[in-house]
Amino acid sequence: MRVDLFDFDLPEDRIALRPAEPRDAARLLLVRPGEALEDRVVRDLPGLLNPGDALVFNDTRVIPAQLTGLRQRGDAVAQVDATLHMRIGADRWKAFVRPAKRLAEGDRVQFGGAGNACLAGSLDATVVEKGEAGEVTFAFDLAGPALDEALHAVGHVPLPPYIAAKRAEDARDLSDYQTIYARDEGAVAAPTAGLHFTPELFAALDAAGIERHFVTLHVGAGTFLPVKADDTDDHRMHAEIGHVPAQTAAALNAVKARGGRIVSVGTTSLRLMESAAGEDGTLHAWSGATEIFITPGYRFRTADMLMTNFHLPRSTLFMLVSAFCGLETMRAAYAHAVRNGYRFYSYGDASLLYRSEA
């Protein structure tokens, strides 16, 4: 499909720079294909679902994956900025680097403060591979838990570029850009639909008989990359690592069997479930890397509903929601959201989408 079909106008002042307070006070646009749009708030969610329905959350935890370092090549030194996006070994990460032209295979990069990899506040790495579009593979001098600890010492919260361009990261982002149920470290971007949930909302969902289940997809920085191709067939997705536990798969299959609905909280949960599902929609325990790219015409096998934030024009995520609800339905929903002052992107408002049966 032509990528320009997924373009739309978005005023700059619709981009949220801070989340709603409290989180569940964010607005929620109800989108049911063929029916009128409905303006609600996130805390209405328990009343919009049925007893026996199941919410599926991505419990990945955001790590401080934004690094600034100095490339050392003989006496020549140059600054580089790196955003880690996928771990591929105990000591190795793939990263997007700017400016990538300053790096070559074999270069040494010192992230953080002066010193060597054994000193606090510093972390050294070697460029072992250069890929396309600014991607490199780093082999760090530390591995495993020691590397994780060093990243926390020298790294920063990787705020989305459309927020970082408008303000600096601060202490609030350490908690704001993390779901309350985040558990498994490895993401470099938050599963943002989950940012709307509070302990109070969880209690209300429990009281309404709504189940909660968890999967893990470590969201990569590729989620922010624009689609540069003119046709969706020419776009390549970056892989992300995920895991669907056997217990979760069995529980969700049981929900379906008794007539309950599966409600995916976020596009990351949905992409992972679709990667783990058989042709008949049965979910299986699954671990690995997924590059699934969902565009209109895709036949969904798992979720009946999708809760998600409002996405970038021409993005793979807007393509996904258009596949879920229909392109014209989503274009109308986004036009309504813009006209009515909904807040967009990671810290913005949410939508609750019903899957199109067309």
Side-chain angles (χ1 to χ4, degrees):
M1 296 183 71
R2 297 199 328 268
V3 171
D4 61 9
L5 292 172
F6 303 94
D7 203 1
F8 57 89
D9 293 326
L10 181 69
E12 282 286 313
D13 62 2
R14 296 294 188 270
I15 300 173
L17 300 183
R18 297 285 184 186
E21 293 186 27
R23 294 183 183 206
D24 57 9
R27 300 176 71 186
L28 180 71
L29 181 61
L30 206 59
V31 183
R32 293 167 287 200
E35 299 185 32
L37 299 167
E38 190 173 336
D39 300 306
R40 306 293 289 265
V41 294
V42 169
R43 64 168 63 103
D44 292 338
L45 187 61
L48 299 172
L49 304 179
N50 301 326
D53 288 345
L55 292 162
V56 183
F57 296 90
N58 180 4
D59 66 3
T60 188
R61 189 171 186 84
V62 179
I63 63 170
Q66 190 75 49
L67 307 174
T68 298
L70 297 177
R71 183 219 68 202
Q72 303 169 357
R73 189 187 296 160
D75 294 331
V77 176
Q79 180 174 309
V80 294
D81 294 312
T83 302
L84 308 182
H85 77 88
M86 188 172 73
R87 190 170 201 157
I88 58 172
D91 65 340
R92 299 197 177 203
W93 276 87
K94 288 185 178 293
F96 296 115
V97 174
R98 292 184 305 171
K101 63 183 180 181
R102 291 181 177 173
L103 292 182
E105 292 182 8
D107 280 346
R108 294 281 291 168
V109 181
Q110 182 182 79
F111 297 107
N116 58 47
C118 297
L119 296 179
S122 178
L123 176 63
D124 289 5
T126 301
V127 177
V128 294
E129 185 179 352
K130 272 195 88 170
E132 300 176 350
E135 186 180 61
V136 305
T137 300
F138 287 114
F140 289 93
D141 290 1
L142 300 176
L147 174 55
D148 299 340
E149 184 178 347
L151 289 175
H152 279 277
V154 305
H156 299 277
V157 175
L159 282 181
Y162 43 77
I163 295 177
K166 294 177 178 293
R167 67 166 179 83
E169 166 214 353
D170 59 29
R172 283 183 55 185
D173 293 306
L174 295 176
S175 59
D176 284 349
Y177 201 57
Q178 201 82 264
T179 64
I180 63 169
Y181 49 82
R183 181 188 61 85
D184 193 350
E185 286 202 342
V188 302
T192 54
L195 296 178
H196 299 293
F197 288 81
T198 63
E200 293 77 15
L201 181 55
F202 270 2
L205 290 162
D206 290 343
I210 313 301
E211 295 184 10
R212 294 200 301 273
H213 300 287
F214 296 90
V215 296
T216 306
L217 183 71
H218 294 313
V219 190
T223 190
F224 301 123
L225 293 180
V227 177
K228 295 181 178 179
D230 293 326
D231 192 283
T232 56
D233 288 343
D234 299 323
H235 178 70
R236 180 178 70 88
M237 293 286 284
H238 285 83
E240 296 170 315
I241 301 297
H243 173 59
V244 177
Q247 180 180 1
T248 295
L252 294 176
N253 289 333
V255 169
K256 280 283 196 183
R258 65 168 182 262
R261 295 176 298 182
I262 294 178
V263 185
S264 180
V265 179
T267 56
T268 59
S269 298
L270 180 56
R271 290 178 62 243
L272 183 56
M273 286 192 291
E274 291 294 314
S275 299
E279 283 299 317
D280 63 352
T282 300
L283 278 161
H284 305 280
W286 189 90
S287 291
T290 178
E291 298 173 307
I292 189 169
F293 180 25
I294 296 174
T295 58
Y298 180 87
R299 183 179 65 85
F300 288 90
R301 295 166 291 177
T302 58
D304 303 286
M305 300 167 69
L306 169 63
M307 181 178 172
T308 184
N309 284 21
F310 292 93
H311 304 295
L312 288 161
R314 303 172 68 98
S315 66
T316 61
L317 300 183
F318 185 61
M319 295 172 190
L320 184 152
V321 297
S322 297
F324 197 80
C325 264
L327 177 56
E328 292 309 312
T329 296
M330 291 313 301
R331 289 182 69 88
Y334 272 48
H336 173 93
V338 170
R339 284 195 310 269
N340 290 276
Y342 276 75
R343 302 161 72 247
F344 274 63
Y345 304 162
S346 295
Y347 278 156
D349 296 315
S351 59
L352 183 62
L353 313 180
Y354 287 65
R355 190 178 71 198
S356 172
E357 299 304 326

